[in-house]
Amino acid sequence: MKIGDLVVYLFAAALVAVGLMGMYAMGTQGGDKSVVVELDGKEVYSCRIYKGMAPVEFRVDAGNGKYNVVSVTYEEVKIKEANCPDQVCVKSGPIRHAGQAIVCLPHRVVVKITAGHEETPDVDDIAS
Amino acid sequence: MKRYQRIRALIIAIFLLGVALQGCARTAGPQEYRKDIFALNTWVNIRIYAGKEGPDILDKAIKRIEEIENRMSVTIQDSDVSRINSNAGKQPVKVHDDTFEVIKKALEYAEISNGAFDITIYPIVKLWGITSEHPRVPTEAEIQDKLRFVDYRNVVLNEAEKTVYLKEPGMGIDLGAIAKGYAADEVARILKEEGVVHALINMGGNVVAMGGKPNGQPWRIGVQDPRAEGARRHIAIIEVMDGSVVSSGDYERYIVDIYKKTGKRYHHIFDPSTGYPANSGLMATTVVAPNSIDADALSTTVFIMGVERGLELVDKLEGIDALAITFDKKIYTSKGLKGKLIVTDKEYELQP
């Protein structure tokens, strides 16, 4: 075997290795949960939840001065503050698992945790 | 020769990579389509598995929900229900077939529950205004005054004319404890007509499961944590292939008495015999039934009747099951649910 052959084989091996690594990375990414925020049925925000992530806090503008402040950490997701009349969303406390959601009916805001596509949620839906 | 070897090595490498990446590709077949909207005063989610006609099917389902809302809402001025109420003591009102069907079903449940389930509760609902902008705790005299109008036996149906008549002026009906169940059943009917096999419908907590999951497993439906407020968070799981699961509880809509500083919780499910929020020792109930209209009406009924009388009633009904959660976090089940409920929250204790 000449050096040229060796180069080609090494190149081929490297190509496969990179491909496999890429797949692995995609796989783990697919396994992570996400937070999705919807306003009146339309997605307005989403972010991935993963180990080691920095805590995220953001304000959802529901129009006419209405707002909800959402806090996201690896451990839990909650509505920290809102100016809705019933404060049900704030009193809800945190959600942690895929399939769970916090609903602010007056503002038509929904904060939900969705499963990554390699992952099965504990429940498919909740009779509330 | 050497050149061929090199090319062959490259081709093999690319082929291997191709095979490896193939593993990532999703399998073809029906796709998942979802629709989340706010309707019937609540959050509605529909998830179906269908071909590319999926979005059209969902639109059809949503249109039907809006139609039902426009006919049965007590807050929409020209709905069937509003017209029935404004003509109380005056004249019978012709209504749509679906409104008639729902009222008829509601009266059946009033009958079998001895009036625990009663759609003529509306004057009481209005008096308290729990879901309105200005809820308040009324006086005893005010409650007694409105309670006179609460009696399902004063609703007169005319099957041939499809009319509904409330005998006494001052009476009123509210279909809030049954209309969502009917709407969920209607969505399921439309989906089936359109050839959808696997679907999950959630009409503000009224869940309808269709055909199990696409992989053949049953749908796993969570039982709402009665102290999770606005969060959908579960304490137990019920597995369902086809059927409806509905919960009712003191957690859905309520006010806390801050005026007298008693901290007492006044929720939105009223006991027609007292005019006060039902106080049967329960935080919540969940009913499993083939049809959502039954599960919806019965979850309210069992909540008002309490563990003993409520579960006794459910045990008499074919194919219907229920669970009831007491304030001390004990879960009682009807006979058919024994051994089927998966409790996931250790704070709750399943009773044998």
Side-chain angles (χ1 to χ4, degrees):
Chain A
M1 197 158 51
K2 293 236 169 106
I3 289 185
D5 291 341
L6 196 63
V7 168
V8 169
Y9 281 119
L10 279 177
F11 175 70
L15 201 61
V16 171
V18 167
L20 287 173
M21 274 162 60
M23 258 181 63
Y24 177 74
M26 275 168 70
T28 47
Q29 187 179 346
D32 283 343
K33 295 185 288 250
S34 293
V35 181
V36 176
V37 178
E38 290 175 352
L39 176 62
D40 211 1
K42 286 187 188 67
E43 187 175 318
V44 289
Y45 188 93
S46 82
C47 82
R48 210 155 60 81
I49 307 176
Y50 55 94
K51 223 178 186 124
M53 67 180 278
V56 183
E57 203 176 289
F58 56 92
R59 191 179 154 114
V60 181
D61 177 13
N64 299 326
K66 296 184 277 186
Y67 70 89
N68 302 64
V69 178
V70 181
S71 142
V72 181
T73 65
Y74 177 66
E75 285 78 24
E76 60 183 42
V77 178
K78 62 184 177 194
I79 295 185
K80 206 179 147 188
E81 189 198 328
N83 60 352
C84 56
D86 62 9
Q87 294 288 300
V88 166
C89 62
V90 179
K91 288 185 285 183
S92 294
I95 50 174
R96 297 187 174 89
H97 305 290
Q100 300 181 334
I102 303 174
V103 182
C104 179
L105 273 181
H107 289 184
R108 299 190 158 210
V109 166
V110 175
V111 178
K112 59 187 178 186
I113 302 180
T114 58
H117 89 89
E118 300 289 311
E119 189 188 13
T120 331
D122 194 17
V123 286
D124 298 301
D125 217 328
I126 295 174
S128 54
Chain B
M1 195 50 197
K2 278 171 213 153
R3 180 178 291 158
Y4 285 131
Q5 272 185 357
R6 284 175 197 173
I7 291 170
R8 200 175 65 191
L10 255 178
I11 289 171
I12 290 172
I14 290 164
F15 174 75
L16 280 175
L17 186 62
V19 167
L21 288 178
Q22 196 78 51
C24 280
R26 290 197 212 178
T27 45
Q31 245 191 295
E32 184 186 274
Y33 292 94
R34 287 170 180 253
K35 186 99 183 178
D36 295 343
I37 60 152
F38 284 89
L40 288 167
N41 252 328
T42 184
W43 189 39
V44 176
N45 328 106
I46 309 175
R47 188 193 315 182
I48 62 171
Y49 293 84
K52 59 182 187 317
E53 73 285 7
D56 296 335
I57 298 175
L58 286 173
D59 284 345
K60 227 174 179 173
I62 301 297
K63 277 213 181 79
R64 182 68 179 121
I65 295 170
E66 285 164 353
E67 190 174 64
I68 292 168
E69 175 165 30
N70 287 332
R71 290 170 185 177
M72 303 190 198
S73 164
V74 75
T75 51
I76 293 176
Q77 287 291 311
D78 60 347
S79 72
D80 284 348
V81 168
S82 293
R83 289 189 304 114
I84 291 168
N85 290 348
S86 58
N87 282 294
K90 294 179 197 160
Q91 58 186 337
V93 173
K94 183 155 173 62
V95 297
H96 291 92
D97 285 0
D98 43 18
T99 311
F100 192 86
E101 194 183 319
V102 170
I103 294 174
K104 200 171 143 185
K105 193 77 172 182
L107 295 183
E108 279 171 36
Y109 277 109
E111 202 69 54
I112 64 166
S113 68
N114 278 320
F117 183 85
D118 194 333
I119 53 171
T120 63
I121 195 75
Y122 186 56
I124 293 287
V125 172
K126 219 171 145 185
L127 179 65
W128 286 77
I130 301 283
T131 58
S132 75
E133 300 258 322
H134 307 287
R136 68 187 183 95
V137 180
T139 65
E140 179 67 32
E142 285 175 307
I143 290 171
Q144 290 311 320
D145 180 51
K146 294 295 178 195
L147 211 47
R148 292 182 296 136
F149 303 118
V150 179
D151 189 347
Y152 70 94
R153 286 164 297 193
N154 287 334
V155 181
V156 185
L157 297 186
N158 183 327
E159 187 86 51
E161 303 282 325
K162 288 283 181 324
T163 61
V164 182
Y165 177 48
L166 307 181
K167 278 192 196 164
E168 305 289 333
M171 278 181 77
I173 59 167
D174 181 345
L175 301 182
I178 193 166
K180 286 204 292 279
Y182 178 78
D185 286 336
E186 280 297 288
V187 169
R189 181 183 63 77
I190 288 167
L191 298 183
K192 271 182 205 137
E193 271 176 20
E194 297 290 335
V196 175
V197 179
H198 310 286
L200 201 55
I201 304 155
N202 193 338
M203 200 82 66
N206 280 46
V207 173
V208 174
M210 257 174 69
K213 291 192 216 187
N215 66 4
Q217 297 285 313
W219 291 108
R220 287 163 68 87
I221 312 302
V223 174
Q224 172 71 20
D225 176 349
R227 289 296 172 262
E229 307 290 340
R232 287 194 182 171
R233 197 163 65 202
H234 61 282
I235 58 151
I237 299 168
I238 299 172
E239 294 188 324
V240 189
M241 290 300 283
D242 281 287
S244 178
V245 184
V246 179
S247 301
S248 281
D250 64 5
Y251 56 87
E252 289 169 296
R253 277 153 201 186
Y254 68 89
I255 54 168
V256 173
D257 185 4
I258 48 172
Y259 308 106
K260 292 178 194 157
K261 300 204 173 16
T262 56
K264 201 167 156 27
R265 181 186 286 237
Y266 294 104
H267 58 79
H268 74 306
I269 304 174
F270 294 96
D271 185 337
S273 64
T274 64
Y276 282 87
N279 183 18
S280 60
L282 296 182
M283 287 199 280
T285 54
T286 298
V287 173
V288 189
N291 292 313
S292 201
I293 191 169
D294 299 308
D296 198 5
L298 280 167
S299 66
T300 306
T301 310
V302 175
F303 185 83
I304 293 169
M305 292 175 87
V307 171
E308 266 176 47
R309 284 172 60 222
L311 294 183
E312 194 181 278
L313 170 68
V314 167
D315 277 331
K316 280 192 272 186
L317 301 170
E318 181 93 20
I320 295 178
D321 278 301
L323 64 87
I325 308 171
T326 54
F327 284 112
D328 51 356
K329 298 195 170 176
K330 290 193 168 100
I331 306 177
Y332 295 84
T333 63
S334 64
K335 286 181 186 141
L337 216 54
K338 305 267 181 234
K340 288 186 189 158
L341 189 73
I342 306 156
V343 179
T344 52
D345 187 330
K346 290 185 191 78
E347 280 188 38
Y348 289 82
E349 194 187 324
L350 185 61
Q351 301 301 298

